[in-house]
Structures are given as structure tokens and as C-alpha cells.
Amino acid sequence: MEIACNVTRQAPLIARLVNLATAKWQGGARTGPLDGEALTSAYAENLSESHSAALLDTPDAGRGLAVLAAELREALLADNPAAKALHINTLIRKYSAQPYLVEDVGQPFHLHFHGQGGTEIDALGGEFAAALALIMDGYGPERFGECQAHQCEAVYIDLTRNGSRRYCSAACTARAKTAAYRSRRQR
């Protein structure tokens, strides 16, 4: 099933926020979650210029991003599809995700969702909650996960055709394959 390209573009932004704010281990190294201004600055680098400026101008944005990241992580890693749906529905209500059609330069009309709270955090919360709902609807609940590499707590959203993703990055995939190879050779 094909869903709006802007929805699939949200997946890496969602994973990036969750990983910056919640993962204690990434890629085999202790990273420690970011918070406050460090989280705001690091995450703003992933956004467009206008959204980045709006986020940097939001008072106490780091706290808001940390709360949103924890909520998203809970939704992504819930134990079963019903729990995932419950968490995502809670986020949709909390951030009042409202759909609207946009015609961007060079693109046909497509759906965007923004939260109605008035801050950039609320806008992101609405956009991300709706994106997760559409991804779960279009791809299934098993497409959200935590990296299976040793010493990595990073999350991923799998948008591959065959749904085979198990690692957060190519680096963790390579680490896991190398570890498996070494394990086989030692037998």
C-alpha cells in the first residue's frame, strides 16, 4: 500500500527524536539520552529551516521534546498491536492531530497533520501521531521495533517492502553480522 510521501518522511524524524531523547546505548556505545537545550539543538538540525527556527524559539522545548519522545517510544515498543494502537490513539487525542491538504512546490496535494496546541512541540506531536497511525494502517504494527544489535536501544520504523528490518542502521547490521560470523568460526 502506498501512503503519502510526507508520512513516510516522518518515520526517520520520529526514530531520530526517540533515539536522541531515550536511548542509553546506540551502535554499541553508551550515549546517554539528551535533554534540555542539547536535545533541542540536536533535533532542530533534522528539521527544515522554518521548523528548526520555530522549535528553537519554543520555550522549554527540550522538556517538551523529551516528553514526546518517551510517549513515542512507548507507542513504538508496546507489547502487542492493541497496545500500540491505544498509545497512538492517545497521542492523536493529546496533540489534537488535524488533517489538512497542502500543495507543496512540485508535489500534488497531499495530507499533512499538525497538532492544535500552538507550539512547535504540539505540531510535531500531531504530525508524528498521525504518521504512526497511517504507517500502522498501511504497513502493520510489526513495523516498529528496537534494534536487535548488542548494546543498542535505538528504535526503527521499517518501511521496507518485505518488512525484514531488525536493526536501526547499517552500522548495527554490520556489527551483528560480524558478531554472528565470529561466533560461527569459534565453534
Side-chain angles (χ1 to χ4, degrees), residues 99-113:
Y100 61 98
L101 287 168
V102 174
E103 184 179 31
D104 290 330
V105 175
Q107 296 180 10
F109 279 100
H110 56 277
L111 278 176
H112 275 257
F113 295 83

Side-chain angles (χ1 to χ4, degrees), residues 101-135:
L101 287 168
V102 174
E103 184 179 31
D104 290 330
V105 175
Q107 296 180 10
F109 279 100
H110 56 277
L111 278 176
H112 275 257
F113 295 83
H114 281 172
Q116 299 301 307
T119 70
E120 188 65 18
I121 307 300
D122 296 324
L124 288 170
E127 188 85 23
F128 291 169
L132 289 181
L134 289 168
I135 291 168

